[in-house]
Amino acid sequence: MRLFASFRPPAEVLEHLAHALDGVAPGSLDAGPPPLRWVPPEQRHVTLAFYGEVPDGALDDLAEALGAVTASTAPLQVQLAGAGVFSGATLWVGVRVVDGDERALTLLMGRVEAAGEDISRLEPRDRHRAHLTVARLSARAQRERSDRRRRSGRGDRRPGRGPAVDLPAVARALSVYRGPEWTAREVELVESHLGAGRSGGPLHEVRARLPLTGEQA
């Protein structure tokens, strides 16, 4: 099973974000499909650690290890803030601590990730960036981007199709975004079923909820 750990923002936070995304969402420049595949609102989450493929029998062990981390971690007052792009193809919104030590979230992410070290070979990720993925370039847009790169690498200067969407420009438009504050009180251990969700995307199933019950520093 393919597992990750995350925070789930409350409905009002996701609604606020949805309004902001409506203001920057690019449309298709022709009759083709849209250039971005938006993550459905019900699937939006703040990724803390990605464990990759984990044997079915190791789920309880991972949940127990993760529970030991959350039991010693206090709830965090956080908000969605800023944005960026991973690998030129994934648009994300960032997360920041607004009440307390800003390093607390980074520390939690490191401990949440370490909980899976003896259970799964962790996939390489940006370990210092809690984020909520909101969109990915469509397969068509990625092919067009690859084609442009190949032409450029061959020194081909003939005019070609322009970019379907300028994802870094969308991220810059969201760089000033600040969402409502909320208190993150639990970490979810989630299974991702690839290709089982809307429009062929993943379907997320919560396998364990681990409350943050530690004392405030």
Side-chain angles (χ1 to χ4, degrees):
M1 59 179 61
R2 190 175 177 86
L3 298 176
F4 63 87
S6 66
F7 290 152
R8 185 182 299 275
E12 61 271 19
V13 171
L14 294 176
E15 183 177 358
H16 190 278
L17 174 63
H19 287 307
L21 296 177
D22 285 343
V24 299
S28 180
L29 298 180
D30 54 28
L36 289 180
R37 293 186 294 110
W38 295 95
V39 176
E42 68 272 14
Q43 302 276 23
R44 290 173 182 168
H45 58 270
V46 176
T47 303
L48 301 175
F50 194 90
Y51 300 112
E53 292 294 335
V54 174
D56 291 359
L59 176 63
D60 290 344
D61 290 339
L62 179 55
E64 182 179 356
L66 190 55
V69 171
T70 61
S72 61
T73 303
L76 296 175
Q77 189 75 8
V78 295
Q79 72 176 161
L80 300 178
V85 177
F86 287 141
S87 303
T90 301
L91 177 67
W92 53 265
V93 172
V95 188
R96 62 183 291 266
V97 176
V98 294
D99 184 14
D101 189 344
E102 293 185 0
R103 297 170 298 177
L105 182 55
T106 301
L107 177 62
L108 174 61
M109 290 177 63
R111 296 182 65 202
V112 166
E113 187 174 69
E117 286 182 349
D118 295 331
I119 298 169
S120 171
R121 183 187 297 274
L122 298 180
E123 296 194 359
R125 299 271 162 151
D126 184 341
R127 300 187 179 190
H128 306 290
R129 177 72 70 179
H131 65 280
L132 185 152
T133 298
V134 293
R136 297 177 178 87
L137 283 181
S138 68
R140 175 190 178 190
Q142 292 196 52
R143 287 195 301 270
E144 291 172 355
R145 186 181 65 162
S146 297
D147 289 344
R148 289 194 301 274
R149 287 179 172 176
R150 283 195 296 269
R151 289 198 303 269
S152 177
R154 296 194 301 264
D156 188 345
R157 298 180 178 275
R158 291 175 298 174
R161 185 185 187 89
V165 59
D166 186 347
L167 208 54
V170 177
R172 288 193 295 273
L174 287 170
S175 64
V176 297
Y177 176 73
R178 297 292 183 273
E181 299 177 13
W182 88 93
T183 302
R185 300 186 183 277
E186 68 178 12
V187 172
E188 293 182 343
L189 181 59
V190 184
E191 181 177 1
S192 178
H193 302 276
L194 296 180
R198 189 188 305 182
S199 301
L203 177 66
H204 296 159
E205 177 186 1
V206 178
R207 302 303 301 265
R209 291 184 171 90
L210 299 312
L212 299 170
T213 55
E215 297 295 329
Q216 295 284 353

